[in-house]
C-alpha cells in the first residue's frame, strides 16, 4: 500500500454525500480549533498583559499615580507588549490540513481516514484480492460513523508555570465587579488634562440605600445625572489630590451647607462636585408610603377565655413592628351597679404582634391570641387599635374597632357572682363595701352554695379583709383580693364537674351490682332513674366546662370517633339497657352497660388530658417567666459593670416591656401578683434593685410549688422522675433568690440557669408520663372495645399507631386548635430569636428551626 500525503484528499470522491459532508465539517472545525490553540500558545503573554492592564485601569490605579510615574508605567507596558508580540510571531506555526486530519483520525478506532486514503499495490486485477480490499474499505467507512470535531487543547500550564494568565484574569474580574469602564477613559485623557489632573483632583462616591429596601450599594460615578433612592440613603465621598481643588455642594440632607464627605439623603435636591472632574446629580426620593393596618373580623373568644383577633398588615418595603392597643370604652359601658362610680385610671393593654422572622414582610396576615381573662378590662367594652411601623419609622393610621374583651365564662351562679364583684372592685376600689355586702349575701347559706367548706372559708376571709380595712385598699391588697376571688370562682366552677362525675360513677357501680345480684324490676327502675339523672348532670357540666359547640348541640365530643353524642342517643341506650334487664337478658345488658361506661370514660379521659395539658402549660409559663427574670438579671449585671453601649439601654427597656406583655395572665393565685411585680420592674427600667428581682424569684418559686400539688408525681420521686426534676428546680430557685437578696447577680444567674434546665427536664418527664398513661388507657379501651381499636387521640387529634409505639399512623388533624397551637409555638420561637441577649448558638439553633417551616 502507498499512503497519500493528505489522507482526506480523496474522501469526497469515495464516500457518499452525507458522510462526506460530516467528515469535511469535522475536519474544518478541528482545523479552526488548532488555529486557536496555536495562537493562544504563541500570544498568551501579550493577552495576559493586556487583560492585566485593563483590570488595573478599571480599578482606577492610574488615578493614584503621579503623571511621571504613569507615563513610565505606560512606556514599560508598551515595550513589554511589543516584545510579547514579537515572541508570539516567532513561535506561531499555523496547522496544516494533514495535522487536522491526523488529530480527528486519532480519535477513531483503526484510523479509518488514513486507511481510506491508502491504495493497494499488490493484487490489482485479482478478484479475491480486490474483494478483500473492498471489504476492508467498507469496514473503515463504517468506523467513520461517530466522527466529530476535536476540541483544541491549549496546554498553557507548562508554558506559564507562574500562572500569570490567571493573575491577569483575576484582576480583570475584580475590575468588572468593583471598578468602572469610565475610569479607563482617564488614561486616554492624560494629554488633555495635563498635570492638574495627574496631581489627584479625582473623587469616588457611593450611595447606600437603607437595608430594609433590599437595594444594593450604587457607585456614584456610574449613576445618571438624575436618579432616585429611598429616603435615608447614605452617601459617602472620597476626594484625592490637593485640598480645595474639588468641593462638594448638596441640598439633600436638609442640614446647613457644609463641606463634609458623608451625609444622608432626607429630601429631594442636588449633589454637585465642583472641580476639573466634577459632576452634578439631581436626586429624587423613591416613594415610601406608610404601612396599612387592618383588623379583619371581630374579636372572638376561646372556651378558656383567650381573646383572638385576625389582622392584616401591608407595606411597600416591609413591616418592622406592630402593636394592638386595648383601652376601656367608657361610653359603651352601662353605668349601673358598681360602674356608677368613675373608673380608676389604668394603663392601656399593649399586645405586641409577632411578625415572621424570615421571609417577605410586605404583606402579613395573622392572628393575635392573648389570654386576658383575669385583666380588669375583661368582660367590659373596649376599643381596639392596631398600629404598624415600617423600617423608615412611618406609622400607619390606626385600625380601630370596638368589642367586649373576652373572659372565661362561669356557669355556676355563685362563681359568676364572685367574678362580677371582682370586676367591680377592679373598676373602683370604693366598691369594696358594696362588694363585701354582695359576697356576704350570696354566701349566706354555705351548706347549699358550697360543695367544699374550704372555698367558703377563703371567701369569708376575703370579706373580712375588705370590711376590716382602714381607709381605701392599697394597690397590692386589691390585686391580692382579685387573685383570691378568681381562684375561688375557679374552684366553684370546676367542683360541679367533679361532683357530677362522682355521682355518675356511683350510679354505674350500683346498677352493675344490681344486675349481678338479680334486682327486682322496681329496684332496676329506681337505679336506672338515678343513672339517667347522674348522666344528664355530668353531660351538662362537661358541656359547660368546654363551652357550646359550633353545631349547637352543647354536647362534648365522644373523643373516640370524633362524633357528637346527644342526650337522645344516651337516653335510647339507657332505655335499651333497662328493657334487657327487665327481660332477664343480663349478659346483653351488661355489654351495653360496658359500652355506656366506655363512652362516658372517653369523655372523662378527654377532659383529663386537657387538665394535663394545662399542667404542662403551667410549667411552660413558669419557664418563660424564669427566662424573662434571667434576662432582667443579666441586664442589671451589665448595668452594674457599665457594659451597655450607648444607645442600647433604651432598646433593652423596650424589649423588657414586650416581654412583660407576653407574660401569661392565666396562671394560679401567685401569677397575677407576679405579673404586677414584673410590670413595675419594667416601668423602672434599668433602675431595678435586687430586692425587686428577689421578690419575683420568690413568686416564681411559690407558683411552682402550687403547680406541683396539682401534678401527679410532682411532689416526690427519684432524680430521674418528674418530682426529682421539680425538686432541683425548687432548690435552684431558692439559691437564686438568696443570691439576689445578697446582691450577688452573677451567682443568681447560675441558679436561674440551673432552674430553667430542671424545668425543661420536668416538662419532658411530664410529657413522657402523660404519654405512658394514655398508652395504658388505650390498651384497656382496646380490650373493652368490640374491634380492639385503640381509643382516644393524641394532642394533635390523631389516633395512636396500631403497633403500640408512640406516634400515629393517621394524618394530622385539620382542626383549628392544632393550627393555633402550632402558631403559638412558632411565635414563641420567633420572639426568642429576636432577643439579642441570648447566645449566638441558641439563636442559630432557633433560626434553623424556623427555616424548616
Amino acid at each position: 500500500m502507498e499512503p497519500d500525503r493528505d489522507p482526506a484528499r480523496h474522501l469526497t470522491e469515495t464516500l457518499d454525500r452525507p458522510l462526506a459532508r460530516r467528515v469535511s465539517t469535522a475536519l474544518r472545525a478541528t482545523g479552526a480549533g488548532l488555529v486557536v490553540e496555536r495562537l493562544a500558545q504563541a500570544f498568551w503573554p501579550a493577552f495576559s498583559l493586556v487583560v492585566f492592564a485593563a483590570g488595573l485601569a478599571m480599578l482606577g490605579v492610574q488615578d493614584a499615580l503621579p503623571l511621571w510615574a504613569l507615563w513610565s508605567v505606560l512606556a514599560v507596558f508598551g515595550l513589554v507588549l511589543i516584545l510579547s508580540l514579537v515572541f508570539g510571531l516567532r513561535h506561531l506555526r499555523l496547522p496544516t490540513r494533514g495535522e487536522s486530519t491526523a488529530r480527528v483520525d486519532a480519535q477513531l478506532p483503526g484510523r479509518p481516514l488514513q486507511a481510506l486514503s491508502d491504495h493497494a499495490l499488490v493484487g490489482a486485477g485479482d478478484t479475491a484480492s480486490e474483494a478483500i480490499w473492498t471489504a476492508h474499505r467498507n469496514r473503515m467507512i463504517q468506523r467513520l460513523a461517530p466522527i466529530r470535531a476535536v476540541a483544541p487543547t491549549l496546554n498553557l500550564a507548562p508554558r506559564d508555570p507562574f500562572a500569570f494568565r490567571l493573575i491577569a484574569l483575576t484582576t480583570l474580574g475584580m475590575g468588572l465587579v468593583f471598578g468602572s469602564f469610565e475610569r479607563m477613559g482617564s488614561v486616554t485623557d492624560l494629554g488633555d488634562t495635563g498635570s492638574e489632573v495627574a496631581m489627584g483632583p479625582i473623587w469616588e462616591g457611593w450611595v447606600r440605600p437603607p437595608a430594609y429596601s433590599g437595594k444594593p450599594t450604587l457607585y456614584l460615578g456610574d449613576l445618571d445625572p438624575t436618579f432616585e433612592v429611598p429616603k435615608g440613603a447614605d452617601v459617602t465621598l472620597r476626594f484625592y489630590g490637593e485640598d480645595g481643588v474639588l468641593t462638594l455642594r448638596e441640598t439633600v440632607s436638609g442640614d446647613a451647607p457644609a463641606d463634609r464627605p458623608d451625609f444622608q439623603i432626607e429630601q429631594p435636591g442636588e449633589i454637585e462636585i465642583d472641580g476639573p472632574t466634577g459632576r452634578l446629580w439631581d436626586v429624587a426620593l423613591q416613594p415610601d408610603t406608610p404601612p396599612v393596618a387592618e383588623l379583619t373580623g371581630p374579636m372572638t373568644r376561646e372556651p378558656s377565655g383567650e381573646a383572638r383577633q385576625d389582622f392584616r398588615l401591608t407595606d411597600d418595603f416591609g413591616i418592622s413592628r406592630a402593636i394592638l392597643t386595648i383601652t376601656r370604652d367608657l361610653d359603651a359601658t352601662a353605668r349601673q351597679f358598681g360602674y356608677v362610680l368613675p373608673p380608676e385610671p389604668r394603663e392601656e393593654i399593649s399586645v405586641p404582634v409577632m411578625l415572621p422572622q424570615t421571609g417577605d414582610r410586605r404583606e402579613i396576615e395573622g392572628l393575635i391570641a392573648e389570654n386576658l381573662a383575669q385583666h380588669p378590662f375583661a368582660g367590659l367594652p373596649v376599643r381596639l387599635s392596631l398600629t404598624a411601623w415600617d423600617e423608615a419609622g412611618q406609622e400607619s393610621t390606626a385600625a380601630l374597632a370596638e368589642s367586649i374583651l373576652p373572659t372565661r365564662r362561669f356557669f355556676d351562679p355563685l362563681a359568676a357572682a364572685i367574678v362580677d364583684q371582682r370586676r367591680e372592685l377592679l373598676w373602683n376600689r370604693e366598691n369594696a363595701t358594696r362588694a363585701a355586702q354582695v359576697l356576704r349575701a350570696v354566701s349566706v347559706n354555705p351548706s347549699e352554695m358550697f360543695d367544699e367548706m374550704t372555698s367558703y372559708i377563703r371567701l369569708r376571709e376575703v370579706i373580712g379583709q375588705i370590711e376590716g380595712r382602714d381607709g381605701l385598699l392599697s394597690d397590692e391588697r386589691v390585686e391580692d383580693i382579685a387573685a383570691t376571688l378568681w381562684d375561688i370562682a375557679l374552684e366553684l366552677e370546676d367542683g360541679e364537674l367533679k361532683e357530677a362525675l362522682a355521682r355518675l360513677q356511683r350510679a354505674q357501680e350500683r346498677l352493675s351490682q344490681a344486675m349481678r345480684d338479680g334486682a327486682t324490676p322496681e329496684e332496676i327502675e329506681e337505679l336506672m332513674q338515678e343513672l339517667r339523672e347522674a348522666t344528664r348532670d355530668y353531660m351538662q357540666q362537661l358541656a359547660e366546662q368546654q363551652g357550646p359547640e359550633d353545631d349547637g348541640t352543647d354536647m362534648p365530643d365522644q373523643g373516640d370517633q370524633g362524633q357528637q353524642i346527644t342526650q337522645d342517643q344516651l337516653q335510647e341506650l339507657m332505655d335499651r339497657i333497662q328493657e334487657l334487664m327487665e327481660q332477664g337478658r343480663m349478659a346483653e345488658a351488661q355489654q351495653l352497660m360496658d359500652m355506656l361506661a366506655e363512652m362516658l370514660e372517653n369523655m372523662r379521659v378527654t377532659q383529663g388530658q386537657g387538665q394535663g395539658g394545662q399542667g404542662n402549660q403551667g410549667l411552660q409559663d413558669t419557664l418563660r417567666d424564669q427566662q424573662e427574670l434571667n434576662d432582667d438579671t443579666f441586664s442589671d449585671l451589665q448595668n452594674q459593670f457599665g457594659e451597655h453601649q450607648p444607645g442600647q439601654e433604651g432598646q433593652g427597656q423596650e424589649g423588657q416591656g414586650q416581654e412583660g406583655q407576653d407574660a401569661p395572665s392565666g396562671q394560679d393565685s401567685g401569677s397575677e401578683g407576679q405579673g404586677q411585680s414584673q410590670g413595675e420592674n419594667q416601668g423602672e427600667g434599668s433602675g431595678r434593685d435586687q430586692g425587686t428581682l428577689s421578690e419575683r424569684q420568690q413568686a416564681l418559686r411559690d407558683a411552682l410549688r402550687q403547680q406541683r400539688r396539682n401534678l401527679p408525681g410532682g411532689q416526690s420521686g427519684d432524680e430521674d422522675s418528674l418530682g426529682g426534676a421539680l425538686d432541683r428546680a425548687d432548690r435552684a430557685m431558692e439559691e437564686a433568690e438568696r443570691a439576689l437578696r445578697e446582691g450577688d447577680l452573677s451567682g443568681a444567674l447560675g441558679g436561674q440557669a440551673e432552674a430553667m434546665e430542671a424545668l425543661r427536664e420536668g416538662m419532658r418527664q411530664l410529657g413522657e408520663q402523660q404519654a405512658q398513661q394514655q398508652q395504658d388507657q388505650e390498651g384497656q379501651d382496646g380490650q373493652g372495645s368490640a374491634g380492639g381499636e385503640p381509643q382516644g387521640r393524641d394532642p394533635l387529634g390523631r389516633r395512636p399507631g396500631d403497633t403500640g409505639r408512640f406516634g400515629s399512623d393517621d394524618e394530622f388533624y385539620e382542626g383549628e386548635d392544632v393550627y393555633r397551637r402550632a402558631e403559638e409555638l412558632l411565635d414563641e420561637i420567633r420572639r426568642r430569636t429576636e432577643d439579642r441577649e441570648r447566645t449566638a448558638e441558641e439563636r442559630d439553633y432557633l433560626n434553623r428551626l424556623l427555616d424548616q417551616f
Side-chain angles (χ1 to χ4, degrees):
M1 293 183 297
E2 181 181 357
D4 223 341
R5 292 182 180 273
D6 185 0
R9 184 174 59 187
H10 303 293
L11 287 178
T12 56
E13 300 176 0
T14 59
L15 301 177
D16 56 22
R17 187 182 300 273
L19 183 58
R21 187 163 51 249
R22 290 174 54 198
V23 172
S24 178
T25 301
L27 293 178
R28 285 197 300 269
T30 303
L34 278 174
V35 172
V36 174
E37 179 181 317
R38 299 292 171 81
L39 290 175
Q41 293 174 351
F43 293 102
W44 71 266
F47 172 79
S48 301
L49 186 62
V50 172
V51 169
F52 182 70
L56 293 179
M58 282 189 286
L59 290 173
V61 175
Q62 71 278 2
D63 297 334
L65 296 176
L67 183 61
W68 64 268
L70 183 59
W71 281 114
S72 300
V73 170
L74 292 176
V76 173
F77 169 75
L79 179 61
V80 175
L81 180 61
I82 293 174
L83 293 176
S84 62
L85 292 174
V86 172
F87 173 83
L89 291 174
R90 292 187 58 185
H91 289 81
L92 178 63
R93 186 175 61 86
L94 295 177
T96 64
R97 183 175 179 82
E99 290 176 333
S100 302
T101 304
R103 175 164 290 191
V104 174
D105 205 18
Q107 302 297 322
L108 299 173
R111 295 184 175 270
L113 293 176
Q114 180 65 41
L116 290 173
S117 65
D118 293 341
H119 300 280
L121 298 179
V122 180
D126 181 55
T127 303
S129 298
E130 290 181 353
I132 293 174
W133 182 252
T134 301
H136 170 68
R137 289 179 58 83
N138 291 336
R139 187 163 54 249
M140 292 298 103
I141 291 174
Q142 293 176 358
R143 292 184 178 181
L144 287 176
I147 191 171
R148 58 183 177 84
V150 181
T153 304
L154 300 181
N155 195 23
L156 297 179
R159 295 174 173 80
D160 183 17
F162 297 103
F164 289 129
R165 68 192 187 284
L166 301 181
I167 296 175
L169 290 173
T170 302
T171 305
L172 179 62
M174 295 179 63
L176 292 173
V177 175
F178 301 104
S180 170
F181 284 103
E182 294 185 2
R183 296 186 181 180
M184 299 180 64
S186 62
V187 179
T188 61
D189 296 338
L190 291 176
D192 299 333
T193 58
S195 60
E196 183 181 6
V197 175
M199 293 304 294
I202 58 176
W203 55 269
E204 286 184 305
W206 299 268
V207 180
R208 297 182 181 87
Y212 68 84
S213 66
K215 297 182 178 298
T217 299
L218 307 174
Y219 185 68
L220 193 59
D222 294 339
L223 296 179
D224 296 331
T226 300
F227 67 92
E228 64 177 19
V229 291
K231 182 179 180 180
D234 294 322
V235 179
T236 301
L237 291 172
R238 294 292 181 266
F239 295 152
Y240 305 101
E242 184 179 353
D243 293 340
V245 177
L246 297 175
T247 57
L248 168 68
R249 183 185 66 85
E250 57 87 9
T251 60
V252 296
S253 65
D255 298 333
D259 186 10
R260 61 191 184 284
D262 301 325
F263 54 90
Q264 197 171 71
I265 298 177
E266 298 293 341
Q267 62 186 20
E270 295 181 346
I271 300 176
E272 182 180 10
I273 298 176
D274 189 14
T277 59
R279 290 181 59 183
L280 173 66
W281 295 271
D282 188 8
V283 183
L285 292 183
Q286 187 172 351
D288 184 3
T289 59
V292 177
E294 300 176 71
L295 294 172
T296 57
M299 177 173 282
T300 59
R301 182 190 69 86
E302 289 297 297
S304 62
E306 180 183 66
R308 311 189 77 184
Q309 177 65 58
D310 295 315
F311 68 91
R312 183 173 182 267
L313 306 174
T314 55
D315 186 68
D316 45 6
F317 286 107
I319 302 294
S320 64
R321 65 187 181 97
I323 293 180
L324 176 66
T325 303
I326 304 175
T327 58
R328 280 185 300 203
D329 189 356
L330 300 181
D331 296 335
T333 304
R335 306 307 289 269
Q336 57 182 351
F337 306 116
Y339 302 105
V340 175
L341 297 175
E344 295 182 355
R346 289 191 179 274
E347 295 183 357
E348 60 187 17
I349 304 175
S350 296
V351 181
V353 179
M354 295 302 175
L355 303 178
Q357 179 69 15
T358 58
D360 191 3
R361 286 193 175 188
R362 289 177 295 180
E363 183 173 355
I364 303 173
E365 292 185 3
L367 175 69
I368 304 172
E370 191 77 9
N371 195 324
L372 302 171
Q374 296 189 55
H375 196 275
F377 295 173
L380 297 176
V382 292
R383 291 191 179 97
L384 309 178
S385 174
L386 179 63
T387 308
W389 291 264
D390 60 12
E391 294 288 351
Q394 298 182 103
E395 181 178 347
S396 69
T397 302
L400 304 178
E402 297 179 354
S403 178
I404 301 294
L405 186 61
T407 185
R408 173 170 174 170
R409 294 177 60 184
F410 289 87
F411 298 92
D412 182 83
L414 180 57
I418 292 175
V419 171
D420 288 341
Q421 296 310 307
R422 173 185 180 273
R423 189 179 298 119
E424 292 183 5
L425 179 62
L426 292 174
W427 174 271
N428 192 318
R429 68 193 65 196
E430 293 183 7
N431 285 323
T433 302
R434 181 181 182 279
Q437 294 174 351
V438 174
L439 293 176
R440 185 178 293 279
V442 298
S443 61
V444 66
N445 194 348
S447 60
E448 295 182 1
M449 303 298 296
F450 294 89
D451 297 325
E452 297 181 0
M453 296 306 295
T454 55
S455 300
Y456 172 71
I457 295 174
R458 293 183 65 187
L459 183 61
R460 300 297 293 184
E461 290 177 353
V462 170
I463 296 174
Q465 293 176 4
I466 296 176
E467 294 178 342
R469 71 186 189 278
D470 185 12
L472 292 178
L473 297 172
S474 63
D475 292 341
E476 293 78 7
R477 181 59 61 87
V478 170
E479 296 296 334
D480 291 342
I481 292 176
T484 304
L485 291 176
W486 184 266
D487 291 341
I488 294 173
L490 290 180
E491 292 176 0
L492 293 172
E493 185 72 14
D494 296 338
E496 294 288 339
L497 177 63
K498 296 178 182 178
E499 182 180 355
L501 177 60
R503 291 199 306 270
L504 176 61
Q505 292 174 341
R506 286 196 302 268
Q508 290 174 341
E509 293 173 358
R510 293 182 61 185
L511 186 57
S512 297
Q513 184 65 35
M515 284 191 290
R516 290 192 296 268
D517 296 342
T520 63
E522 292 77 11
E523 293 175 336
I524 292 176
E525 176 66 27
E526 181 181 354
L527 293 175
M528 284 301 303
Q529 183 62 29
E530 180 182 351
L531 178 62
R532 289 188 181 94
E533 294 177 356
T535 303
R536 183 177 61 253
D537 293 343
Y538 174 71
M539 296 287 289
Q540 180 180 357
Q541 292 297 328
L542 192 60
E544 289 177 351
Q545 289 293 322
Q546 295 180 348
E549 298 296 328
D550 295 336
D551 58 2
T553 60
D554 285 349
M555 300 297 291
D557 286 344
Q558 182 179 350
D560 169 15
Q561 302 290 339
Q563 302 173 350
Q564 298 288 339
I565 304 175
T566 65
Q567 190 73 34
D568 292 340
Q569 292 173 338
L570 288 176
Q571 184 66 36
E572 292 176 2
L573 182 58
M574 286 186 286
D575 290 342
R576 181 57 179 167
I577 292 174
Q578 182 177 356
E579 180 182 350
L580 292 174
M581 292 177 65
E582 292 175 350
Q583 295 175 1
R585 300 160 62 179
M586 297 301 178
E588 298 179 29
Q590 184 62 50
Q591 290 180 356
L592 292 183
M593 273 292 298
D594 294 339
M595 182 184 299
L596 174 63
E598 181 182 347
M599 295 166 61
L600 297 176
E601 179 67 16
N602 286 336
M603 297 180 192
R604 187 183 68 81
V605 169
T606 303
Q607 184 74 5
Q609 289 175 351
Q611 294 171 356
Q614 293 175 1
N616 207 338
Q617 181 64 38
L619 291 181
Q620 292 178 8
D621 294 340
T622 302
L623 176 60
R624 180 170 62 180
D625 292 343
Q626 182 65 71
Q627 178 65 58
E628 293 176 356
L629 179 57
N630 179 265
D631 295 343
D632 292 344
T633 305
F634 182 75
S635 176
D636 281 6
L637 182 62
Q638 285 183 318
N639 291 335
Q640 180 178 346
F641 289 95
E643 294 179 359
H644 269 305
Q645 298 297 330
Q648 287 185 350
E649 185 174 358
Q651 298 175 1
Q653 294 172 359
E654 180 180 355
Q656 294 162 11
Q658 293 177 354
E659 291 172 358
Q661 295 297 340
D662 288 338
S665 61
Q667 291 183 353
D668 46 35
S669 60
S671 303
E672 192 165 343
Q674 175 186 338
Q676 175 78 6
S677 177
Q678 290 176 359
E680 293 171 358
N681 293 336
Q682 292 158 3
E684 294 170 5
S686 60
R688 292 184 302 266
D689 56 14
Q690 285 74 29
T692 303
L693 294 176
S694 63
E695 292 172 2
R696 290 172 59 186
Q697 185 66 73
Q698 181 183 5
L700 277 178
R701 186 183 174 202
D702 294 340
L704 177 62
R705 291 182 174 180
Q706 178 68 25
Q707 293 170 10
R708 292 180 64 181
R709 287 195 291 268
N710 300 326
L711 293 176
Q715 293 292 335
S716 61
D718 54 22
E719 287 296 323
D720 296 332
S721 65
L722 172 62
L726 297 183
D727 280 339
R728 293 194 302 273
D730 185 89
R731 291 194 299 269
M733 288 182 178
E734 183 179 8
E735 294 175 0
E737 178 186 347
R738 184 183 307 110
L740 288 172
R741 293 188 185 281
E742 296 173 356
D744 183 10
L745 296 180
S746 178
L749 287 175
Q752 291 170 350
E754 183 179 353
M756 289 187 291
E757 183 63 29
L759 285 173
R760 294 188 183 99
E761 176 64 20
M763 292 169 58
R764 186 185 68 82
Q765 293 288 348
L766 180 58
E768 292 181 357
Q769 176 179 309
Q770 292 176 352
Q772 184 63 39
Q773 291 176 355
Q774 181 179 357
Q775 187 181 21
D776 295 341
Q777 181 64 39
E778 289 163 0
Q780 297 173 4
D781 292 343
Q783 296 174 1
S785 61
E789 180 182 357
Q791 305 296 322
R793 292 179 181 269
D794 69 356
L796 292 179
R798 302 172 298 168
R799 282 187 290 271
D802 296 331
T803 58
R805 58 175 171 78
F806 292 123
S808 173
D809 297 329
D810 290 354
E811 295 293 332
F812 281 96
Y813 175 63
E814 298 294 333
E816 180 183 359
D817 186 67
V818 176
Y819 290 116
R820 180 184 65 82
R821 291 160 64 185
E823 184 177 6
E824 290 176 351
L825 178 60
L826 283 175
D827 289 344
E828 179 63 16
I829 295 176
R830 293 188 185 106
R831 187 188 69 81
R832 297 192 179 194
T833 305
E834 295 172 353
D835 189 358
R836 296 300 176 184
E837 294 185 357
R838 297 184 183 275
T839 62
E841 292 80 7
E842 183 178 359
R843 284 188 280 114
D844 181 66
Y845 169 74
L846 294 172
N847 282 323
R848 291 200 302 271
L849 287 179
L850 289 174
D851 290 340
Q852 299 181 14
F853 298 94

